[in-house]
Amino acid sequence: MSAKRAYVSPLREQSAARTREQILRRATELFADRGYGLVTVADIAKAAGVSPKTVFASVGAKGDILDRIVDQGVAASGHERAVELVCALRTPREVLAALAHGTRVGNERHFQVHEAIHKALPVHEDGEALWRRATAAYRDAVTTAARHLHTLPSAPAATATATAEETADTLWFWFGPSSWRTLVVENGWPWDRAEEFLRGTAIATLCPDA
């Protein structure tokens, strides 16, 4: 006699998924606002309108919540499509302008996620690993753009004296999350002005004669 299969209610699954999303959304807001170290599971539960027991059962401990936030941020970044668009461009100016705009959109759209991660780094048990995991796909995308620059017939003069890896480091310096945060968060620049500045700086430096 075969064992009975456990019944799985689609409505219950949908409700559980909505609860998880609500918990993660509120946790992201709290981590971004107060900082990871100053937020408790009880705080997250209160903001999400559930009990601490539900938080643990649905998502896990505070570290598990942060891990899920990082994973969601990476999955939602759209970096693969952005890289495809950049690699279809044929002039250095177009590539640099696309990088400036694409990284601006990503940082602006996922601002709370980035802030939640940034504020967790000083107190996280392994902040360096967390940062690498959160930015690996982003960094790979910038590196791919740098290699593409080196293959262009009209490659910037600066690439003649630099390796593709060095160009990638330079692009990361301009278009990585730290630069956006410095200009927008620490200095209070509007996103439009930050994009204009970073784009102009990259073009003026890498292809001043183009």
Side-chain angles (χ1 to χ4, degrees):
M1 185 175 180
S2 61
K4 291 184 178 180
R5 293 184 179 179
Y7 174 69
V8 178
S9 167
L11 291 178
R12 184 175 297 173
E13 285 190 335
Q14 291 172 10
S15 177
R18 286 194 297 269
T19 297
R20 281 194 298 273
E21 287 305 309
Q22 176 73 351
I23 291 169
L24 292 174
R25 187 180 305 113
R26 297 308 180 202
T28 302
E29 293 170 357
L30 289 172
F31 290 163
D33 181 37
R34 301 183 196 172
Y36 175 81
L38 298 179
V39 175
T40 66
V41 170
D43 294 330
I44 296 169
K46 181 178 180 181
V50 299
S51 69
K53 183 178 179 180
T54 298
V55 173
F56 282 111
S58 179
V59 188
K62 195 168 73 165
D64 299 317
I65 293 172
L66 182 61
D67 284 341
R68 285 183 180 245
I69 290 171
V70 170
D71 292 340
Q72 281 192 343
V74 172
S77 66
H79 62 277
E80 293 178 352
R81 178 56 180 159
V83 168
E84 289 178 3
L85 294 174
V86 166
C87 289
L89 300 173
R90 306 310 303 165
T91 70
R93 282 178 175 268
E94 288 176 332
V95 169
L96 294 173
L99 268 177
H101 185 66
T103 55
R104 173 262 177 93
V105 168
N107 279 274
E108 185 175 14
R109 182 178 297 161
H110 303 293
F111 175 75
Q112 283 194 325
V113 171
H114 291 182
E115 278 296 281
I117 296 168
H118 176 83
K119 291 183 178 180
L121 296 177
V123 296
H124 192 273
E125 60 183 10
D126 195 349
E128 185 176 346
L130 176 69
W131 181 247
R132 284 199 305 269
R133 187 158 64 86
T135 60
Y138 188 166
R139 180 112 196 191
D140 286 346
V142 171
T143 298
T144 300
R147 290 171 180 161
H148 177 59
L149 274 175
H150 278 251
T151 69
L152 295 176
S154 56
T159 62
T161 57
T163 65
E165 287 69 26
E166 289 171 337
T167 300
D169 291 341
T170 305
L171 295 180
W172 185 251
F173 174 75
W174 288 318
F175 302 125
S178 296
S179 293
W180 288 106
R181 190 177 192 281
T182 296
L183 292 177
V184 174
V185 178
E186 296 178 11
N187 295 331
W189 285 30
W191 287 97
D192 285 345
R193 176 65 184 118
E195 179 183 345
E196 178 186 18
F197 172 76
L198 292 172
R199 180 184 66 240
T201 301
I203 290 173
T205 304
L206 288 183
C207 43
D209 301 323

